[in-house]
Amino acid sequence: MKHVLEFEKPVIELREKIAELKRLTEESEMDLSEEIVTLENRLEKLEKDVYDRMKPWDRVQMARHPERPTTLDYIDHIFTDFLELHGDRLYGDDEAIVSGIAKLDGRPITVIGHQRGKDTKENIRRNFGMPHPEGYRKALRLMKQAEKFQRPIITFIDTKGAYPGRAAEERGQSEAIARNLLEMSGLTVPILCVVIGEGGSGGALGLGIGDRIFMLENSTYSVISPEGAAALLWKDSNLAQQAAETMKITAQDLKSLQVIDEVIPEIRGGAHRDIEGQAKEIKQLLNTSLADLEQKKQDDLLEERFNKYKKIGDYTHLDI
């Protein structure tokens, strides 16, 4: 593993020690099996202590892990016959969002998601997963096409936020996101949204209006990054860890606040440890949810979607 997070260093070091003892056992006549079993038992306990007690900032780091699976990784492992479609028919194509048609166990669906890179070169090409307006308009074009042909829509959310540059603003960034919110609210086909990494600000919400909202256990979903919140609240982005503790941005927090519908358990140590196993967890939930939603009449689907968002948050009506 190339990238080790600070909080998981003891686990990684112990794994490496066990691997070294196994290598010595194979290359020499020494019998180290007893020592290996002892260390493996210790490793199991250490992994439970470290990964089952992760703090919000630990989960932020995990959500940003450079090896974390991306939308295209999950498309490869969950769907078949994926055909990527490009362009918004207005300006151009945005590689920060991938979209197309695929099959989920033989069922035609439309899949859309943020796409970040795996290295510097790809990150630059995909603008670090931060979409321009044409990305959201491409997504909307595919959603309207899905509605026309009655295909369910599945979105994968993984972005720090929409691109905040001048060119994006000149091309109508805020209007593009707002348009997606409006249109997704009224689409007559089932929509499933899965937060697989960072769900940042309106950039995430532009693909995040759905009948079911799921989050991977170590993903985050928030109106602003911890660094941004710390800079606004305390004029010091170095207090990001403190901000993460108070912002309620983890999957567990958002489930308790009824912002999301379900937390998808992750492979211990993070989704990057076993992409295939993680994809199976997601696929099972997608199939179960679609089987339920596809039985609903269009009017009932829309009413339930409306009520889902209406009940988020605590508020009081005042008679004036």
Side-chain angles (χ1 to χ4, degrees), residues 1-149:
M1 190 180 298
K2 297 178 182 178
H3 304 277
V4 179
L5 303 177
E6 188 66 31
F7 75 92
E8 62 178 350
K9 280 185 177 179
V11 174
I12 304 303
E13 290 171 357
L14 188 53
R15 282 192 197 133
E16 292 175 347
K17 189 172 183 179
I18 293 171
E20 177 66 15
L21 290 181
K22 288 181 177 180
R23 185 183 63 80
L24 287 174
T25 299
E26 293 175 357
E27 296 178 355
S28 66
E29 297 180 356
M30 292 187 295
D31 183 10
L32 301 173
S33 57
E34 188 174 338
E35 290 86 347
I36 291 172
V37 170
T38 300
L39 290 179
E40 286 179 334
N41 290 334
R42 188 189 302 174
L43 175 63
E44 184 177 354
K45 184 178 184 301
L46 183 61
E47 284 184 331
K48 185 175 179 63
D49 289 341
V50 170
Y51 294 122
D52 291 358
R53 300 178 183 178
M54 291 170 63
K55 297 179 181 178
W57 183 245
D58 298 332
R59 297 191 190 278
V60 170
Q61 291 179 287
M62 190 69 80
R64 296 173 174 175
H65 199 292
E67 297 172 19
R68 194 165 178 84
T70 65
T71 292
L72 286 175
D73 290 326
Y74 286 123
I75 287 175
D76 287 342
H77 286 86
I78 295 175
F79 307 102
T80 58
D81 304 306
F82 176 62
L83 173 65
E84 184 173 0
L85 301 175
H86 300 271
D88 67 343
R89 303 297 187 265
L90 292 169
Y91 179 83
D93 189 41
D94 183 359
E95 293 192 73
I97 287 183
V98 295
S99 57
I101 306 167
K103 289 183 178 179
L104 177 63
D105 286 343
R107 177 199 288 111
I109 59 97
T110 291
V111 58
I112 303 166
H114 300 98
Q115 180 65 31
R116 56 182 173 82
K118 289 294 187 71
D119 53 37
T120 302
K121 184 177 181 181
E122 188 183 6
N123 264 319
I124 292 173
R125 179 164 67 90
R126 297 194 181 276
N127 203 36
F128 295 85
M130 296 186 293
H132 287 76
E134 52 270 24
Y136 292 106
R137 290 173 179 139
K138 173 174 67 173
L140 181 57
R141 180 175 73 84
L142 267 290
M143 291 178 197
K144 299 298 284 186
Q145 181 194 79
E147 182 178 47
K148 178 179 179 180
F149 293 101

Side-chain angles (χ1 to χ4, degrees), residues 5 7-8 15 47-48 51-52 54 56 58-65 67-70 74 116 157-158 194-199 214-221 249-252 260 262-282 285:
L5 303 177
F7 75 92
E8 62 178 350
R15 282 192 197 133
E47 284 184 331
K48 185 175 179 63
Y51 294 122
D52 291 358
M54 291 170 63
D58 298 332
R59 297 191 190 278
V60 170
Q61 291 179 287
M62 190 69 80
R64 296 173 174 175
H65 199 292
E67 297 172 19
R68 194 165 178 84
T70 65
Y74 286 123
R116 56 182 173 82
I157 297 168
D158 184 16
V194 187
V195 184
I196 59 175
E198 284 186 276
F214 307 121
M215 286 181 68
L216 289 184
E217 184 180 357
N218 295 319
S219 60
T220 62
Y221 200 18
I249 63 176
T250 67
Q252 297 76 13
I260 67 168
E262 196 160 338
V263 178
I264 305 174
E266 284 197 31
I267 305 299
R268 180 169 286 172
H272 56 283
R273 293 280 306 280
D274 183 1
I275 298 177
E276 185 174 351
Q278 192 63 65
K280 286 181 180 178
E281 287 276 351
I282 298 173
L285 186 56

